Amino acid sequence: MNILHKFKETAVSVLPVMAIVFLLGLTIVPLEPLLLLRFFISGVLLIIGLTIFLLGVDLGIQPMGERCGAALTKKKSLLLLLVVAFIIGFIVTAAEPDIQVFGDQVRSVFPFVNKTSFTFVIAGGVGIFIMLGLLRTVTNLSLKWTLFISYTILFVVAFFASDAFIAIGFDSGGATTGPMTVPFIMALGLGVSSVRAGKDDNSFGLTGVSSVGPVLAVLIYAIVVNGAGFGAGGPSADSGTANALSVAPELVEGLQFASISAIILSALHESLTSIAPLFGLFIIFQIFLLKMTARQVIRMLIGFAYSFIGLTVFLAGVYGGFMQTGKVLGESFGALAFTKGGVWMFLLILTSVLLGAIIVCAEPAVWCLSEQVETVSGGTIKRKMLLVFLSIGTSIAIGLAMWRAIAGFNIKLILVPGYIISMLLMLFCPELFTGIAFDSGGVASGPLTSTFVLSFALGAANSSSGSNDSFGVIALVAMMPLIAIQIMGIVYKIKTSKNQKQGGQSV
């Protein structure tokens, strides 16, 4: 796919979000002209940055992951594969900027939490479950049974964890899926699958399995330290969610009215922090494992450079105006809805649903997943159809999150039934689609969702007489694609079966 085609498709994904914001900002929720100008410039940067980033992933990140997975599998040492998988998962997660910020916010609510220990717990959880995911691929274990057993253990542990850490635990699963790490993890799984299994159907699901790790690790951590910080005098679930919700917005709180240079420096720092671990692994793998030709190395280096530049421009757009506009728009719209109620409250939820449906299509990792799905399936699973179902799932998640922000009910009332439905759908869904669904849950909660949409939800919730019960947005966004994509798989299965029967009758 050439760069002009990528530019066209990324523009189609971002422009509808801009159109909705401008429509609201110029009519029922007036925004300052300067803010709208910054938002417009930021939108252009998002389109340009996402285009360059995806080009870099095609040239560098994805080929590196596939080559590493294939090369490690050809060594025929299961121990080596698993040890390297753990190291990869641990390093890239510990260096993820969102995890560092997430640790700061959890500590701000629960002072007894040690940030370094908390970070290592999450990173260890990711590393262990990447090992589990690759072990499943190598031994051809059932993905459905792997996920069912993993989530059963997860909810058993959650039963003993404090309510205050439930949403934090599930949000941690979304915080680990960064725009650099997800394409690499997906490609790693594809590389291992292509060599060991002899087919690509077994390549999906690694991101979904690895997303269980941080949630389980955080909940176990919460149980271990339960006596130190919880109890009658400890923070409640509601007070915990009030501050922890602002993980993403507070990441750049000081940048909202900062200079251009400060925004660029912040974007450069986060991009460098995200790409450095993968680049370091590339050097190590090239010396000891891959041993590619000079031409192949140059192509990879160009890919890394494009990814770095693209991600920097993308984040500059997010921090330069997109996130600030989301928060201001949410506050203004929320104040209007909670003051007038009725139709305005409905419009607030409807706007959240529309934003959720559209903005997920602009997530970098979503693009990588959808392209891989279309490629691996030989075009039988259309990317547009995948994006449609993913958009539906995300829109419902954002709508539920906004409803919860208004009503203030316990997030477990959504999470528990949601995951039960996800497990039941596995009985009827083809395994390929189950893998895609659980991978989609990990990639949907990317930098745009965790900044613009979360800022919008935070702003609206803050307007509700101090109600901040919208924590768990990322947890819901990570859950709903599991249902939506598996329903897509069941529909696909029914249609395929009908076509085969009609073909047999005609013969």
Side-chain angles (χ1 to χ4, degrees):
M1 186 184 295
N2 59 53
I3 191 169
L4 290 178
H5 193 187
K6 285 186 181 295
F7 180 83
K8 178 182 177 181
E9 292 194 326
T10 53
V12 169
S13 299
V14 177
L15 289 176
V17 180
M18 298 176 65
I20 291 176
V21 173
F22 272 103
L23 179 64
L24 293 173
L26 294 173
T27 55
I28 59 177
V29 191
L31 299 178
E32 295 181 2
L34 180 59
L35 182 61
L36 289 175
L37 176 61
R38 289 185 61 172
F39 178 77
F40 175 78
I41 296 173
S42 297
V44 173
L45 291 177
L46 253 67
I47 295 172
I48 296 173
L50 183 56
T51 301
I52 299 173
F53 172 79
L54 292 173
L55 182 63
V57 169
D58 287 349
L59 291 175
I61 307 300
Q62 187 169 332
M64 173 192 166
E66 291 181 14
R67 288 176 182 271
C68 288
L72 286 168
T73 307
K74 288 177 181 178
K75 289 289 184 181
K76 296 183 178 181
S77 172
L78 182 59
L79 179 62
L80 175 64
L81 175 64
L82 297 182
V83 169
V84 172
F86 176 82
I87 293 173
I88 290 173
F90 188 90
I91 290 177
V92 297
T93 302
E96 182 66 41
D98 287 348
I99 294 299
Q100 300 298 321
V101 178
F102 192 69
D104 286 331
Q105 295 306 309
V106 172
R107 180 170 172 76
S108 70
V109 180
F110 307 111
F112 62 87
V113 172
N114 181 279
K115 178 188 173 183
T116 302
S117 300
F118 188 74
T119 301
F120 286 169
V121 163
I122 293 177
V126 174
I128 290 172
F129 272 76
I130 284 183
M131 288 174 56
L132 177 62
L134 289 181
L135 178 64
R136 180 205 69 81
T137 302
V138 170
T139 57
N140 288 319
L141 293 174
S142 168
L143 173 63
K144 293 181 179 180
W145 276 109
T146 302
L147 291 170
F148 179 78
I149 293 172
S150 298
Y151 275 99
T152 299
I153 295 173
L154 175 61
F155 277 97
V156 169
V157 173
F159 180 79
F160 298 97
S162 168
D163 284 351
F165 252 91
I166 296 295
I168 291 175
F170 278 90
D171 271 5
S172 69
T176 58
T177 51
M180 293 298 300
T181 57
V182 169
F184 178 77
I185 291 175
M186 289 192 299
L188 183 68
L190 180 60
V192 173
S193 176
S194 63
V195 173
R196 183 68 181 181
K199 59 180 181 179
D200 293 328
D201 286 4
N202 207 28
S203 62
F204 295 105
L206 181 57
T207 302
V209 172
S210 63
S211 295
V212 180
V215 184
L216 182 60
V218 168
L219 294 180
I220 293 175
Y221 178 84
I223 294 172
V224 171
V225 300
N226 184 58
F230 295 111
S236 67
D238 290 340
S239 67
T241 60
N243 292 314
L245 169 63
S246 55
V247 170
E250 288 192 6
L251 172 63
V252 288
E253 185 72 26
L255 294 177
Q256 291 190 353
F257 294 97
S259 63
I260 295 177
S261 60
I263 293 172
I264 293 175
L265 286 174
S266 179
L268 281 169
H269 177 266
E270 185 164 341
S271 298
L272 183 61
T273 305
S274 297
I275 202 171
L278 287 181
F279 187 72
L281 290 172
F282 165 69
I283 295 174
I284 295 173
F285 287 146
Q286 169 60 17
I287 295 173
F288 297 103
L289 184 66
L290 300 177
K291 302 184 186 302
M292 295 182 292
T293 64
R295 183 176 181 180
Q296 291 173 326
V297 171
I298 292 174
R299 180 181 174 86
M300 292 268 186
L301 291 175
I302 293 174
F304 270 100
Y306 279 153
S307 297
F308 174 72
I309 294 171
L311 186 58
T312 301
V313 174
F314 180 89
L315 292 175
V318 170
Y319 298 159
F322 238 69
M323 191 172 66
Q324 178 196 0
T325 305
K327 187 173 183 180
V328 174
L329 183 65
E331 289 175 346
S332 302
F333 208 152
L336 193 62
F338 288 111
T339 300
K340 296 187 177 182
V343 175
W344 292 98
M345 193 72 73
F346 172 77
L347 287 175
L348 174 62
I349 296 178
L350 179 62
T351 301
S352 303
V353 169
L354 290 175
L355 288 173
I358 296 172
I359 208 164
V360 70
C361 295
E363 290 286 6
V366 168
W367 278 87
C368 297
L369 175 65
S370 61
E371 287 185 357
Q372 183 174 318
V373 169
E374 192 169 63
T375 301
V376 168
S377 67
T380 57
I381 304 176
K382 299 299 182 182
R383 180 171 18 146
K384 290 183 179 179
M385 185 58 64
L386 178 66
L387 291 176
V388 167
F389 276 85
L390 189 56
S391 294
I392 293 173
T394 306
S395 66
I396 294 173
I398 300 299
L400 287 172
M402 186 58 67
W403 178 35
R404 179 172 176 266
I406 296 170
F409 52 83
N410 195 311
I411 193 172
K412 288 194 292 186
L413 295 177
I414 302 177
L415 287 179
V416 173
Y419 277 101
I420 289 175
I421 293 172
S422 301
M423 298 298 111
L424 292 175
L425 286 173
M426 289 197 300
L427 298 174
F428 309 99
C429 179
E431 185 158 314
L432 172 62
F433 283 89
T434 297
I436 295 171
F438 279 81
D439 281 353
S440 299
V443 304
S445 53
L448 270 180
T449 304
S450 60
T451 52
F452 181 83
V453 176
L454 190 56
S455 296
F456 181 83
L458 174 65
N462 282 340
S463 303
S464 161
S465 302
S467 172
N468 281 322
D469 229 354
S470 58
F471 182 62
V473 172
I474 304 303
L476 295 177
V477 169
M479 181 193 73
M480 286 306 301
L482 313 185
I483 299 174
I485 302 301
Q486 287 195 101
I487 291 175
M488 171 186 168
I490 294 171
V491 172
Y492 179 89
K493 179 181 178 181
I494 294 172
K495 286 188 175 181
T496 302
S497 178
K498 286 183 178 180
N499 291 337
Q500 290 176 347
K501 288 181 180 179
Q502 291 174 356
Q505 291 173 355
S506 63
V507 173

